[in-house]
Structures are given as structure tokens and as C-alpha cells.
Amino acid sequence: MATEGHDTLQRDGLAVRKERLYGRLLAACAALTLLVTAGIVLALLGQTIVFFGEVSIVGYLTGTDWTPLIGEASYGVLPLVTGTLLVTVVSAVIALPTGLAIAIYLSEYATARTRAVLKPTLEILAGVPTVIYGYFALVYLTPLLNEVFPTRIGLIPAGVPVLPEYTFVVPSLRTFNVLSGGVVVGLIIIPMVSSISEDALSSVPDSLREAAYGLGSTKFDVSTKVVVPAATSGIVSSYVLALSRAIGETMAVTIAVGSSPQMPDLGNVLVNLTQENQTITAAMVQIAGAESLGGVTYESMFALGMTLFVLTLGMNVVAELVRRRYREEYD
Amino acid sequence: MSQDNMTDPEQSTNATATVSAPEVDTDESSIDSTVGRTVIETRDLDVYYGDEQALQEVSLSIPERQVTAMIGPSGCGKSTFLRCLNRMNDLVETARVEGEVLLNGRNLYAEDVDPVALRRRIGMVFQQPNPFPKSIYENVAYGRRVQNKSVDDEIVEQALRRAALWDEVKDQLDQSALELSGGQQQRLCIARAIAVDPEVVLMDEPASALDPVATSKIEDLIEELAEDYTVVIVTHNMQQAARISDRTAVFLTGGELVEVGPTQRVFENPDSDRVEDYITGKFG
Amino acid sequence: MATDTEDTDWLSTDARLRWQRLKGRLFVGVLVLATLVGVLALAALFAYIGRDALGPFGAEPSWFLLYFGTAVTPIAAYTLYVTGRLRWLGDPHPDVRTVNDTAFAVVFGSLVLGLVVYAVATALAPEDVAIYVVCLSVPPLLVRGYARRYGETHFTGPGTPVSVLFGLGAGVVVAVTLGETLALLVDWLLFLVVVTLPAAALLGSLAVRRFSRRWGYLTSAAVLVLGPAGAIGGIVAGFDPALGVVLASGVLAPVGLLVADTVAHRRGGWPGLLGPVVLIGGVLVGATLERSLGITGLNSWLTPTLVFDSWSSTDPTAAGIYPQLVGSIIIVAVMAVMSFPVGVGAAIYLEEYAPETGWGGRLATVLDVNISNLAGVPSVVYGLLGLALFRNAFGLAPGLVITAGATLGLLILPIVIVAAQEALRSVPDELRQGSYGLGASRWQTVRNVVLPEALPGMLTGTILALGRAIGETAPLVMIGVAATRFSPPEGLFSGATALPLQIFASAGNAIPEYRTGVLAAASLVLLVTLLAMNATAILVRNRYENN
């Protein structure tokens, strides 16, 4: 076949220049993400530095009073941290075992049909707006739970020699309480745990399972002694990520847990669950809603944001490191 | 643009020590007067993927309007060689190419050569048929469109005719190409490759994914195509090479070009013992 | 799913194995129980909210019977027939299923789209919307037409987006100069431009492809006639003629085209068209009978007042969320415009252009890591970013639509990028190789081969991300969006309002009916919107995966 001319093996200069332009535009889009991170860091850092010019870091990190909006403002972050911790622990107790159990079920036991029903359900569970979860906790869950509380458990009855009588008392739940908030946050993060763990479990190659079966194991043995341990890095990673999400959860805890930060009662631990508290995120929302632009209170919001950002970023990095470092490589 | 290739030595030398006698094969083209001018010539072509060498100083000429086949056991660099001819290896980041590939005397690896433009002169058909998820018409027209060339129904028809596909699809040009059978899809890929008027058509095991009936149709097609285009085909099927090619190049392990010459001679009376062993099936 | 062990008789007598088997069953029981926790929690959520929002216990039993008879039974029977399970009625024609799916999609899709366009355009000022519709569509259409006519691609390629930008600028100019004059026009005339003209163009081009050029012109002409006819119908029937225009040319016309297309190309599938008729008709019949027979219906808080009126903090029965609904939709639209192009661009760069080795490769890895970190940043922090950026740095007033849209757009950007990356990765490499082999450049390959293949996946991921963002409240609070507004936003620079924010703000309302009635209904609306968006995303994914 005759060709037009054996001259240039070049394209039209304009075409080449257009190509280069497109490549640069696309790279710019990608670079924008770096700008976003830079923006977040700068925004937080800027005001945080100003804040720590007026409030001592030590006072911030160790103070047990968080009252930015009342009279003589105090900026101790500890009550917020413990509040967040309480909520997160409750959510972890609910979500981590449940999520893993769901993951094991989906990966090892469920039929394709069950999976086809369960997975969308979990996606919806994850997709429900967190305001609605908060509203659900406040209006429906707390009254429901109050059917169970208050409880009195007589641990040591009267009449036993030597030991004094001791009754374990858990008061009824307040309107705003840690337990409802924690339960709801747990619901929010269950899908995260289950989906990431399920990915980890599914990626364990079948050859491991078959080897175990060949040695006479039951399905229970295979699942608990072979598959789950093999997927440990993925599961742990999912836990850390879910906890990071729980720490960052805002609206559900703002509505359900309330706005009175307090240090935990270390005597009767369970009482803490029934009382109102405040998380870091809820405190930020409270300050934002108070519409005072400028001043130490405004800056404290950014300091809290910085604390939160560092916490969640740290956890996400740890999760990724765990996933990478302990990942068993399967060919 | 004449190229004196009558005395071009077509030899492959092994950089490392050779075990058997030097496998130097002088070009038989002075004896075989039907060999036309050289369209593509490689000189000492070395290819490395990272630290691994895939081709060793391959020098060979490909004559115009003939079917040149590359045969050899799998993994010996035939496809790598083919992909050097149209610089598809550029798409692999770890690939490093040394040596020259000349198209009508111009080194394709020179600084001033644009690989995209070059691929408009050298077309390629792949092992797995890979039609685009578009209509049959749009598949054939694709190459011309991206090259800013005119597209009309006549050109599409001509390409499909040349690929022996027109009669089967002429009423369904708007249908998706993915609805065709494997053999038809491969002929469609050939049609779209020739629709842009290339000088050379490279084919990487074009029939290996197809059933025997489709394979024989492709083989007939290749022989026809050689009347208008230069065809370079890689195949692991020796009988196929023997059937359809005019010249055969034998690659053996490590990317070494061991022998090249007219097909009949290479198969019936190879110069190298290793080639003879391979052809008679002692290994491979 | 791995294989299980066989059960042979002589083993089962072994007590230890019996214990092991029991353990196994207990284990599965625990797993199922855990799974049920999640499912039950979701069910409880919907049940409680549904109960309070819809008040089903306030309805007479005969109400349920009525709708069961007029709506539920017919649609159930119809569905059974369409899926081929009513053997005694005979097997349906194979086309019926596809026609039925398309019919539902077209009817409800165009209905929702039409109502959304009507609501948003009315809120934003129809003359502005009309101006932008014209200015943003005419220049690119001209460029494309030129390209097709003269077969030119060199300049018309980049020319198309450039013409859109030009149109944007032109739109601003025209809006400023002619805006007030055009506002004097009757609303429904403006809606002719907003809805009827584009519908005529789209349906016309669809008809050209499905039938012939002549039919294309006829279809366009028919739509152009339907528009004013709808206005007249509205005036006659006593509702807003602009709504009539939208319904006639935006809903009736596509349905009509669908019917014509079915009759012409898939005649055997015509029973599929009856699906929406059975459903809507059943509900309407039920409603009419309910009224005429005087049956007490639901004690529902999900009333027209809720959906179409504005808020009241003191009277629960007068509280409505219309401004918030429209506000949320507008914010979602702004979000989509801001995050989709940039997100797709970044994903294309990372997947198709970025080198894998050397310094470029390391930069690409940094970008990837950065994006996954951004995805894990809590949404409040994005709110702080929006606050610092838009209020402090740019000096905008608090809580504007553009601020809200941009902040939430940044929030979902990492999600959009990751979804787009996955969609691009799923395009088989052979297609790229084939394109390169034909002498296409990288951008040509991406634009002509890779992107079309990956687009459905990108859209699915983006719609899911938008669904998540529609429920986001924290960033909106941080940037100072007002909790309650009494009218929908009027433009990009007017105060924003959003449904989840309203829910948040009123969760503490002292009057109990708010907590158990109004908020439940508002939450239900939000949930339904979210489910609809998720369903759309999944439909898009399924439709293109099957193709």
C-alpha cells in the first residue's frame, strides 16, 4: 500500500503542544489535593498558634475544665478527651466484635443470596445521615434503654458476715447521655469494620482453607484458627480506621451526648455512661454555633480541630502501617 | 529511497560465549530474487526489562510486501522484538532499548521521531482480539479519526473488504463490535489496522486465541494482505509459520536470533543445529 | 466460599466430634446474631421514624385494605407477571422486562427531574436560569456542529470546553444587563426556554437515532407545541402554568416518545408500559376512594405542608421544609460541579499519566497517600477549612451557597477521586494497547476509549458520594449556615439552607410534636432522598455493567 510520503515521523506541532497542555492541566487537578491538605494544615495551625499565645499549652492539655462560653473561660481539654474516649469505647464494644462477626459470616458462611441482601443493607446503615442517628438516639434510643435502667444489682446481700452489703447501682439515663451516643456511633462504624475486615478475610487464599480441611478441621476451626489469624493485619487496620472515624464523628454525639463536659467518675465507672458529656467534635460545633467571630474562644475551636486532626491522622497512618507491615503476602 | 540490502549480513551474534559453531547466516536474498527492498531493518537491537535482557543484539531485515514470521519457544523475545518495531515498548517503564530500528532507512529511536506518529505508519494486531466497545463502523474509523484523516463509508467498506469481513457485517455496521465472534473480532481488528493505510502490519500471535476454523480464515487473510502490506507475524505455531510466511526468523531462549531466511529453507534445511532441534520438536 | 467436610457415620458417634460440631453451630449462631444486630438496628431506625412520621396506627384497618386492594395487589400481580412467575397467564414476551424497566425509569426519572428543575428554577429566578441554559448550551452546540459538518477536530476538541467557559462569561454579562428586563416576562415563558427547548433538542436527537431524521424534526416540533399547551392546561386547571410547561414537555413528552419507540421497535413488550400506570393509577384510585368513602387515613406528618411550606418554630402543623429541600438540592448541584471535573481530572492523571518510577513515581505515591489521608479527615475539620478559607481569607459572608457547596465539594473530592481511579483501573489494558497501536496519543486514548468505559463507574461513585454529602451537617454548622431560613436560596451568593441542618437545629425544640412528628417526617424525607440517590447510582452501575 503506497503511503503519502516518507517524510516526517512527527505529528503536527499543535497536536503535540495540546497534548502537553492537557497533561499539565490534569497534573494541576491532582496537585490541587496537595493544596487542600496544605490549606487544612495552615488553617488549623494559624489559629492554633494564636490560641497558644494566649492560653498555655500545658493548661490546655492538662486542664480539667472546659468552659469557653461561660463567664471566666477555661480551656482545659481533658474533659473533652475523656468524653470522646468514653463514647469511642462504647462504640468499640459494640462495633468491633459485631463488625468482625459480620465479616466472618459474609466471607465464610453466607450464601450468595444472603450476601446480596446483607451488603446493601450495610451500605444503607453506613449511609444514613449522622444527624438522623443523633436524633434517633435522643428521641428513641434513650427512652428505650431507660426501660432497662436504672438497675440495682445486689452483689453482696445483707447478712453475709464480714463483708458489708453492696448493691451495684446504675442510675437511669439522662436525656443526654454517653451510652446512647456511643451505641449509635457504634452502629455508624459497624459497616466500616465489616467491609474492610471482609475484604481482608476474602483475600486469604482458598489454598489455606483447603489445607486445613484436608487435615480434618471443622469449619469453625478453619475460620477461627486459620482464616482470621491470616487476615489479622487487615482486621486490626479496620479497627483502627473505624475508631478514627468514631473519634471524628460529630453530629450524632452533639445531639445525643450533649454539651456538658465533665471528667469521668472513676469510682462507679458505669455512671459515666448515664450522664451527659461532651466530645471534642461537639465542643467545636457548640463554639461555631455561638457565632462569636474572633477572640480566644474562636481560636480554641481551631485548637480543638488541630487536636482532632492530629489524632485521626495519626490513627489513619498507624492503620495503614499495620496493614502494610504485617500483611502476609500471598502470591 | 533505495536501500542496498543485497549484501546485508543477517546474523545474530551472541554477546556471551556460544556453545555451538558460530551461527552466522548470510543473507540468502542474493539467491532468492523475489525478495524486495527492505522496509524495516534492525541493527544490534538489545532490550532490557530492568536488569533482565530480553533481546540480544538482534539484527535482521524485513522485506517489503512479504510475510515474515518470527518463531521460537515462548519467552524467547519474539513479542518483545515485534513491539520494538512500533515502539510499543515505550509504554513499559522498565524497558530499555539499545540499537537501531530503521524504517526505510530512518532510525525510529532517534530523538526527532514521535512514537505516536510512527505508529501511524506501522500498525499492530494483538493476540487477544481487542475491539473497542463501539460500533463496527466506529472501530474501523477510529484510527483514521485519531490521525485526523477523512472518514467515509467507502473507506470503511474497503477496509472491511480487505479484511474479508464485509459480507458478514455489512448490514450491522452500527451494532456493537463486541457482539461478533472471536474470529470476526480479530478480522475487525485487522480491518481497523489497515484502514489507516500503514506500511507495515505487525501481528502478535493473531490466531492463537481462535478456533481452527477462524484460524484458517485469518491465515488466508494474512496471505492476501501481503499483496498490499508488509506483514510481520509472531507465532508459536511452527506449522502456521511454514504455511503462510515467506521468510522466517527463529528466536531461541534469551532473545537470541539464531537463524533467518526463506521459510522453505529454514524449515527443510536449517543451518543451525539448534534450529533443527527446535523444528523437529526436540525441545520447545 | 470454601468447601466443607463430609459427614460420615462412624465419625459422628465420637463424642468429641459431636462437641466440635455443636461448637461450630453455636459459632454460626453467634455470627448470625451479630449480623442481625446490624439489620435490626437499621430496621428499628426506619420503624421508629416511620411510625412517628407516617402515623400508621392512626389509620383505620379499612384504609390498609383499600390501598392493598387498589395499589398493592395489582402491582404485585403485575410484577409477578413481568418476571414470568405467573405461569397460568402465559410467559411474557422477552421484551416486556426491558420495556418495563425503561418505563419506570423514564416515568419516575422525568417526574423527579422535572419537579426538581421546577423547584430550583423557581427559587433561583427563572430568568437567570433561562439565560444560563441558553448561554451554556448554544456555544458548545455550535462548536460541535461545526466539527461534525467540517470534520474538524484539531481546534474543536479543546474548543468545546472553552466555549462553555465563554458561555459562562456571556451568561454573567447577559444576566446583569438583561436580567431585570427578562424578569418582567411571565414565568411560564421562561420555563419554555429552560425545559421545553432542551427537551425538544434532546428528544429530537434521540428520535433521529431511533427512527429517522424526519421523525426527529417531528418530535422536536411536537415537544415545542406541548410546552405552551402545558401552560394553557395549567391555567385552565388552576395550577401554576410554569409547572404545566414542565410536566407537559419534561414528563409527558419523554413518556410519549417511549411509547412510540416501544410500539415501533419492541411491540411485543408493550405490557411493560403498563407498570407505572398500574402503580400510579392504583394509588390515585385509592386516594379518590379514600376521600369519597371518608376512611380515616394515616396520622401522617408527611404532609404537603411539610414538603411545600416553610418552617415555623412554634406551630408544628405549619412547619415545612421546602426551602431546606431546595437548598440541599442546590448545594448538591454546586458540589457536583466543583468536585466531579477536578476529581476525574486528578484520577486520570494518577492512573494514566503519572510515572511509576523515579521522582515522578514518588510524587505520584505521595499524591495517592495524601488523598487517602484526606478521605479520613473528619468532616468538622473540613468545616474549619471552609471557615478559614471562605470567611477569613476571601471575606465572604457566613453561610453562602457557594461556600457550602465548595466546602462540601472539597469534602467529597477524595472520595470522587478514589472512585474514579477504581473505574479507570477496571478498564482492560488491551483497549489502551489497541488504541496506541493505531497511532493514538495518550489523551486521545483516554478521551476516546478509556473514559467512555470508565464513566459509568465514575458516575456511580460520585452519586454515592453526593448522597453521603447531602446528609453532612457539621461542615455547614462550622461555616455558619443559618439554621432556619424561610425561603429557598436565590443564587450562589445568597444564604444557604439545608435539610439536615434544620433537623439538627430543631432536635432540641421544646414542643414534643416537633421531636416526634415534624422531625420524624423531615428525617424520613432526607432518608428517602438518600435512598433514591443510592438507588440511582446502583441502577447506573447495573445498567452499564450488563452492557
Side-chain angles (χ1 to χ4, degrees):
Chain A
M1 232 21 245
T3 49
E4 260 100 301
H6 296 241
D7 31 42
T8 57
L9 286 174
Q10 287 278 18
R11 278 179 292 163
D12 181 7
L14 180 65
V16 178
R17 271 185 309 218
K18 269 200 304 179
E19 276 294 305
R20 227 173 289 158
L21 177 67
Y22 296 157
R24 295 218 180 101
L25 279 177
L26 294 173
C29 290
L32 200 71
T33 57
L34 288 176
L35 283 181
V36 174
T37 309
I40 292 178
V41 171
L42 282 175
L44 294 176
L45 210 55
Q47 296 287 349
T48 308
I49 291 178
V50 176
F51 176 72
F52 283 130
E54 303 183 33
V55 173
S56 79
I57 296 191
V58 179
Y60 173 74
L61 288 175
T62 60
T64 58
D65 246 329
W66 180 267
T67 49
L69 300 172
I70 304 173
E72 174 124 1
S74 166
Y75 296 101
V77 84
L78 276 187
L80 297 177
V81 170
T82 54
T84 307
L85 207 66
L86 279 170
V87 171
T88 308
V89 165
V90 175
S91 72
V93 165
I94 292 193
L96 300 188
T98 316
L100 181 59
I102 296 180
I104 298 178
Y105 182 66
L106 281 177
S107 155
E108 306 294 310
Y109 288 88
T111 60
R113 266 183 77 188
T114 323
R115 223 176 295 149
V117 166
L118 273 181
K119 292 200 106 174
T121 311
L122 288 171
E123 267 176 45
I124 297 177
L125 199 64
V128 171
T130 52
V131 242
I132 296 185
Y133 271 117
Y135 160 67
F136 174 71
L138 181 68
V139 174
Y140 300 107
L141 190 58
T142 305
L144 191 66
L145 288 177
N146 262 334
E147 313 272 311
V148 178
F149 295 98
T151 53
R152 307 171 61 93
I153 309 175
L155 283 179
I156 305 178
V160 172
V162 179
L163 297 170
E165 178 180 350
Y166 183 72
T167 323
F168 189 63
V169 180
V170 185
S172 66
L173 297 173
R174 302 286 171 78
T175 319
F176 300 109
N177 63 81
V178 168
L179 184 63
S180 300
V183 166
V184 147
V185 173
L187 287 178
I188 294 176
I189 64 175
I190 284 180
M192 239 181 121
V193 176
S194 75
S195 112
I196 300 180
S197 294
E198 197 220 330
D199 283 344
L201 290 167
S202 301
S203 63
V204 172
D206 268 345
S207 53
L208 284 183
R209 294 184 183 83
E210 281 164 18
Y213 281 126
L215 291 168
S217 320
T218 62
K219 193 156 190 174
F220 169 68
D221 286 333
V222 172
S223 304
T224 52
K225 296 186 184 136
V226 175
V227 181
V228 169
T232 306
S233 64
I235 295 175
V236 169
S237 167
S238 82
Y239 281 3
V240 177
L241 282 174
L243 289 178
S244 160
R245 171 87 178 76
I247 291 178
E249 174 46 47
T250 314
M251 295 322 292
V253 294
T254 308
I255 298 179
V257 178
S259 44
S260 326
Q262 38 192 303
M263 294 299 293
D265 175 352
L266 294 171
N268 190 354
V269 179
L270 287 184
V271 174
N272 296 307
L273 294 182
T274 65
Q275 292 188 332
E276 187 174 340
N277 212 317
Q278 189 177 48
T279 61
I280 298 177
T281 49
M284 291 166 71
V285 167
Q286 185 189 31
I287 297 175
E291 283 188 27
S292 56
L293 195 60
V296 189
T297 316
Y298 177 76
E299 294 149 17
S300 70
M301 192 167 55
F302 284 86
L304 287 178
M306 192 61 164
T307 316
L308 189 69
F309 179 66
V310 166
L311 254 178
T312 50
L313 189 66
M315 292 182 79
N316 289 349
V317 166
V318 164
E320 182 62 22
L321 284 177
V322 165
R323 193 179 69 83
R324 273 196 214 168
R325 183 133 182 258
Y326 295 102
R327 178 168 54 179
E328 291 80 348
E329 292 281 5
Y330 299 114
D331 274 328
Chain B
M1 211 45 97
S2 65
Q3 182 84 357
D4 187 9
N5 69 342
M6 295 300 187
T7 56
D8 253 350
E10 283 188 6
Q11 54 153 309
S12 74
T13 49
N14 224 336
T16 57
T18 56
V19 176
S20 48
E23 282 118 38
V24 172
D25 177 30
T26 49
D27 184 10
E28 310 261 324
S29 47
S30 49
I31 305 169
D32 181 356
S33 58
T34 61
V35 172
R37 68 178 187 87
T38 300
V39 170
I40 293 184
E41 182 188 344
T42 71
R43 290 186 184 158
D44 293 335
L45 192 61
D46 285 306
V47 175
Y48 298 85
Y49 288 123
D51 291 327
E52 223 182 279
Q53 185 167 20
L55 281 183
Q56 298 184 31
E57 290 191 13
V58 175
S59 303
L60 100 86
S61 301
I62 294 172
E64 187 179 36
R65 300 230 188 104
Q66 297 207 343
V67 179
T68 305
M70 325 257 145
I71 64 173
S74 49
C76 60
K78 321 188 287 287
S79 291
T80 307
F81 176 77
L82 199 72
R83 296 165 87 87
C84 284
L85 299 185
N86 66 351
R87 288 184 69 169
M88 283 293 271
N89 271 335
D90 285 15
L91 302 174
V92 179
E93 261 189 65
T94 51
R96 195 174 81 236
V97 176
E98 289 166 17
E100 293 184 323
V101 176
L102 306 177
L103 173 68
N104 296 317
R106 273 195 75 180
N107 182 11
L108 299 181
Y109 281 89
E111 283 290 312
D112 61 338
V113 172
D114 185 346
V116 174
L118 142 69
R119 293 185 202 121
R120 298 177 180 185
R121 306 269 290 281
I122 301 182
M124 192 164 210
V125 175
F126 300 83
Q127 183 173 354
Q128 289 284 353
N130 55 0
F132 302 126
K134 300 174 189 280
S135 69
I136 295 174
Y137 189 95
E138 282 306 315
N139 263 278
V140 180
Y142 182 83
R144 292 190 72 87
R145 290 204 205 276
V146 299
Q147 296 182 23
N148 258 327
K149 292 189 181 150
S150 64
V151 176
D152 55 51
D153 297 349
E154 221 184 273
I155 294 181
V156 171
E157 179 180 335
Q158 230 188 39
L160 286 169
R161 275 192 196 282
R162 283 232 184 86
L165 190 58
W166 173 252
D167 288 322
E168 293 170 49
V169 300
K170 62 182 176 212
D171 295 323
Q172 7 164 346
L173 292 179
D174 279 337
Q175 278 186 23
S176 166
L178 301 177
E179 290 174 26
L180 297 175
S181 74
Q184 289 173 321
Q185 286 186 6
Q186 191 65 304
R187 275 179 280 151
L188 177 64
C189 293
I190 295 176
R192 81 178 173 193
I194 61 182
V196 297
D197 255 6
E199 271 190 69
V200 180
V201 179
L202 308 176
M203 299 195 178
D204 193 347
E205 306 208 31
S208 67
L210 305 177
D211 62 75
V213 174
T215 300
S216 81
K217 282 195 188 158
I218 299 277
E219 289 181 8
D220 294 337
L221 181 54
I222 292 176
E223 292 185 297
E224 274 177 41
L225 285 177
E227 293 169 25
D228 297 312
Y229 310 95
T230 305
V231 178
V232 184
I233 158 173
V234 163
T235 176
H236 66 266
N237 182 340
M238 281 188 282
Q239 291 79 13
Q240 183 177 84
R243 276 195 295 270
I244 63 176
S245 69
D246 300 305
R247 286 174 71 75
T248 301
V250 184
F251 285 76
L252 292 179
T253 334
E256 190 190 334
L257 172 65
V258 177
E259 183 162 345
V260 63
T263 300
Q264 194 161 34
R265 189 191 61 71
V266 169
F267 274 90
E268 289 176 8
N269 194 11
D271 279 345
S272 150
D273 289 337
R274 291 166 67 192
V275 171
E276 178 157 1
D277 286 345
Y278 173 65
I279 287 176
T280 54
K282 289 209 182 117
F283 69 89
Chain C
M1 290 303 297
T3 53
D4 209 336
T5 51
E6 295 279 12
D7 183 359
T8 45
D9 278 329
W10 62 274
L11 280 179
S12 63
T13 55
D14 186 351
R16 186 160 178 277
L17 265 135
R18 245 183 289 144
W19 161 239
Q20 275 190 328
R21 217 176 300 286
L22 182 65
K23 242 194 333 180
R25 294 225 181 88
L26 278 176
F27 182 63
V28 183
V30 165
L31 293 184
V32 172
L33 214 65
T35 315
L36 283 180
V37 163
V39 175
L40 282 178
L42 191 65
L45 185 90
F46 275 90
Y48 274 109
I49 294 183
R51 178 200 73 183
D52 278 354
L54 299 173
F57 298 116
E60 288 180 332
S62 45
W63 185 90
F64 291 99
L65 268 170
L66 171 70
Y67 277 99
F68 190 76
T70 57
V72 176
T73 317
I75 198 69
Y78 178 80
T79 314
L80 284 174
Y81 166 67
V82 164
T83 51
R85 273 172 239 188
L86 277 186
R87 290 278 137 173
W88 52 271
L89 214 55
D91 275 332
H93 189 277
D95 277 339
V96 169
R97 196 76 190 276
T98 25
V99 170
N100 187 41
D101 290 341
T102 321
F104 270 101
V106 169
V107 168
F108 288 103
S110 63
L111 203 57
V112 167
L113 193 61
L115 289 175
V116 163
V117 167
Y118 173 68
V120 171
T122 313
L124 289 178
E127 64 272 9
D128 282 340
V129 177
I131 290 173
Y132 280 105
V133 164
V134 170
C135 290
L136 287 176
S137 53
V138 166
L141 280 176
L142 287 176
V143 172
R144 292 269 100 226
Y146 178 83
R148 195 160 302 186
R149 175 86 172 71
Y150 295 101
E152 210 279 351
T153 51
H154 242 26
F155 291 101
T156 58
T160 317
V162 167
S163 67
V164 172
L165 288 174
F166 167 76
L168 193 62
V172 172
V173 169
V174 173
V176 166
T177 51
L178 289 181
E180 276 153 30
T181 337
L182 287 175
L184 297 173
L185 284 176
V186 176
D187 265 1
W188 65 263
L189 277 177
L190 295 166
F191 269 92
L192 281 181
V193 174
V194 172
V195 179
T196 312
L197 283 183
L202 281 168
L203 294 175
S205 66
L206 197 61
V208 164
R209 252 181 288 160
R210 302 288 291 181
F211 299 93
S212 70
R213 182 152 284 201
R214 241 191 67 210
W215 280 103
Y217 289 135
L218 276 172
T219 313
S220 296
V223 177
L224 287 172
V225 165
L226 270 177
I232 298 174
I235 298 175
V236 162
F239 60 86
D240 187 0
L243 184 60
V245 169
V246 171
L247 288 177
S249 50
V251 179
L252 223 58
V255 172
L257 184 62
L258 174 69
V259 173
D261 182 80
T262 310
V263 167
H265 297 302
R266 286 192 268 213
R267 188 160 307 193
W270 72 263
L273 293 173
L274 296 177
V277 174
V278 169
L279 185 60
I280 297 179
V283 172
L284 285 177
V285 167
T288 337
L289 281 178
E290 177 188 350
R291 204 163 310 154
S292 60
L293 292 179
I295 305 178
T296 348
L298 300 169
N299 190 11
S300 168
W301 284 94
L302 193 57
T303 58
T305 317
L306 182 86
V307 181
F308 294 115
D309 277 357
S310 0
W311 192 254
S312 150
S313 332
T314 48
D315 180 6
T317 53
I321 51 170
Y322 182 72
Q324 282 72 25
L325 256 183
V326 175
S328 275
I329 294 176
I330 296 179
I331 293 180
V332 165
V334 174
M335 253 200 283
V337 164
M338 299 196 105
S339 66
F340 188 71
V342 174
V344 168
I348 293 178
Y349 176 75
L350 288 171
E351 289 299 310
E352 307 286 325
Y353 280 77
E356 281 168 36
T357 55
W359 284 112
R362 257 166 251 163
L363 181 64
T365 314
V366 167
L367 284 170
D368 261 325
V369 170
N370 183 45
I371 288 172
S372 27
N373 282 341
L374 280 179
V377 171
S379 53
V380 247
V381 176
Y382 277 99
L384 284 181
L385 172 65
L387 188 60
L389 192 60
F390 295 106
R391 269 175 74 179
N392 296 353
F394 290 172
L396 295 173
L400 300 180
V401 170
I402 183 128
T403 315
T407 308
L408 289 178
L410 286 178
L411 176 68
I412 66 169
L413 185 63
I415 309 174
V416 171
I417 295 180
V418 170
Q421 273 181 297
E422 276 175 31
L424 287 168
R425 256 177 242 153
S426 72
V427 175
D429 210 35
E430 298 100 60
L431 293 180
R432 293 186 186 81
Q433 300 266 313
S435 175
Y436 288 129
L438 288 167
S441 68
R442 197 188 303 255
W443 172 249
Q444 285 174 318
T445 303
V446 168
R447 188 186 167 290
N448 294 314
V449 175
V450 180
L451 254 191
E453 268 294 282
L455 203 58
M458 292 180 178
L459 282 177
T460 305
T462 309
I463 296 177
L464 287 174
L466 291 176
R468 211 199 98 172
I470 208 176
E472 283 288 345
T473 326
L476 297 179
V477 175
M478 303 310 277
I479 62 175
V481 175
T484 310
R485 283 191 173 267
F486 298 99
S487 62
E490 286 160 26
L492 279 182
F493 289 93
S494 85
T497 168
L499 189 51
L501 200 56
Q502 181 67 275
I503 295 177
F504 170 60
S506 328
N509 193 311
I511 306 175
E513 279 87 6
Y514 275 94
R515 287 206 300 278
T516 54
V518 178
L519 278 195
S523 303
L524 198 62
V525 170
L526 186 57
L527 280 172
V528 166
T529 314
L530 177 74
L531 285 176
M533 290 180 81
N534 276 14
T536 315
I538 295 179
L539 277 175
V540 167
R541 178 170 64 197
N542 286 353
R543 176 148 189 266
Y544 283 96
E545 237 168 53
N546 289 341
N547 271 6

